[in-house]
Amino acid sequence: MRFTSEQRLEDGVLEREFTLGEIPGILWTSGSAPAPLILVGHPGGLRMMYPRLVARARHAVAEGFAAATIELPGAGGRPRSAVTEDARADLLRALEAGEPVGDGIVDRLVLPLVDKAVPEWRAALDALLPLPEIGGPVGYSGGVISIGIRLAVVEPRISAAVLFAGSFVPRAVFEEARQVTIPLQVLLQWDDEGNDRQQALDLFDALGSKEKTLHANMGGHTGVPSFEGDDANRFFARHLK
Amino acid sequence: MRFTSEQRLEDGVLEREFTLGEIPGILWTSGSAPAPLILVGHPGGLRMMYPRLVARARHAVAEGFAAATIELPGAGGRPRSAVTEDARADLLRALEAGEPVGDGIVDRLVLPLVDKAVPEWRAALDALLPLPEIGGPVGYSGGVISIGIRLAVVEPRISAAVLFAGSFVPRAVFEEARQVTIPLQVLLQWDDEGNDRQQALDLFDALGSKEKTLHANMGGHTGVPSFEGDDANRFFARHLK
């Protein structure tokens, strides 16, 4: 891991950009005492997502956490994969034609992304956890739910997760969901245009964790109320501190 | 309203029992500055419910609220109604026989209770709001959801409510639910033995409020996690302070 830039934001949060091999990432810390790390998930495109990511990260740092994120495979400036691009084109065609999005498209769109992204997030943990500003258990927050579920199953250093019940979940992920045992808080937007509410409820039901809470709010995909940021921090405070 | 007893609990909360005509009730305050009032709902039986009610009330007072509750019609020492007793007997027969509980039974069990209880809670508000320890908007928390919904529709002094998605909701209440406009937080126990999960989700969907959040947790009817008490207080702090 190589730090490429460093700045203090106006509230004193230390923001450092880094690269992990070819993967760009951002780390936010208070710059002082070691703090439990929250991995800030997202749907890809760090530059585009930056305003929302930095808001979540600053909120987390203010509550005594460190926060970090990395770019997803095929997003931002990272090389595209032909399989994913084909699947994305098929998805757009199906949506524009008003046709149902078949399992085949969803599998081709999501599964290779999960297979590639999850080892990258784990490599980021390897690089981040030895830093003196970071200490204690790790949380994963938001982002592509299929990545969050795979991480929760395979990465024992992740102790709790806040997941966002988005759409296009491969059937195979429902099976993985049953193997999750860490505490979860799952966000669902009740009127999400591109989201199948029943599928989201079924996925919540499938998750194997004994402690899981669903927070469903009104409104569309980007309408998550700001108080859910506080709720996520309190959830992580219960489980990471 | 006539106060019949008064004691200081060990954390300094002032607990006063009262009667409102024939209806017994309990008021909990800090005894000092005026505070927004939370009406503490329950399924009936103040004596039996007391340990849980006083825990909720002390938690609320610690967060800067006053709290009050009254006995439900036909519960505790209050006169039984023949209609309700007949409906309850029919309900038990159906449950013991493993038969579906028909709409007729649910209507006879719940609607007369709502019709009688709601004016009583409003009369309690009339009596409580002039007290110097109480000031500001009012919240309703928990209890029979059909009572909470009717109160939210007809009582303009109630500004926000935390409802518990229990079972046996008359069809007519789904219609009333569409008229609710105040902010809501709705608790659902995902594995509630005596509760129809789909009906609870449908009722959440039917509620007319623009701001409503569903908190679904694992476990049975009495298994609501303790952190939901904190969440309820924060919800009321957002809307009553």
Side-chain angles (χ1 to χ4, degrees), chain A residues 1 16 29 37 101 116-117 133-135 146 160 162 167-168 174 180 193 214 217 219 239:
Chain A
M1 188 174 61
R16 281 177 288 178
T29 63
L37 176 65
V101 178
K116 194 155 163 46
E133 304 92 324
I134 295 174
S146 300
V162 174
S167 347
F168 306 132
F174 280 73
V180 178
E193 314 77 26
L214 178 72
N217 287 287
H239 294 291

Side-chain angles (χ1 to χ4, degrees), chain B residues 146-223:
Chain B
S146 301
I147 293 176
I149 287 172
R150 174 77 60 83
L151 269 171
V153 171
V154 302
E155 177 49 71
R157 291 173 292 185
I158 294 181
S159 301
V162 174
L163 302 176
F164 188 93
S167 347
F168 307 132
V169 178
R171 299 307 310 173
V173 173
F174 280 73
E175 291 310 310
E176 282 185 272
R178 293 179 213 288
Q179 302 168 44
V180 178
T181 58
I182 61 171
L184 298 176
Q185 196 154 284
V186 180
L187 291 170
L188 169 63
Q189 286 301 98
W190 201 250
D191 308 304
D192 199 334
E193 315 76 25
N195 203 343
D196 179 333
R197 187 195 299 163
Q198 191 55 54
Q199 189 194 55
L201 292 168
D202 291 345
L203 183 57
F204 176 71
D205 192 47
L207 288 159
S209 304
K210 275 200 197 110
E211 181 175 346
K212 56 178 175 178
T213 302
L214 179 71
H215 282 195
N217 288 287
M218 295 306 98
H221 195 75
T222 58

Side-chain angles (χ1 to χ4, degrees), chain A residues 11 22 41 45 59 70-71 83 86 94 116 118-119 132-133 136 165-167 190 203 218 229:
Chain A
D11 51 5
E22 54 133 10
H59 202 153
I70 56 172
E71 185 59 280
V83 172
D86 280 357
K116 194 155 163 46
V118 166
E133 304 92 324
S167 347
W190 200 249
L203 183 57
M218 295 306 98

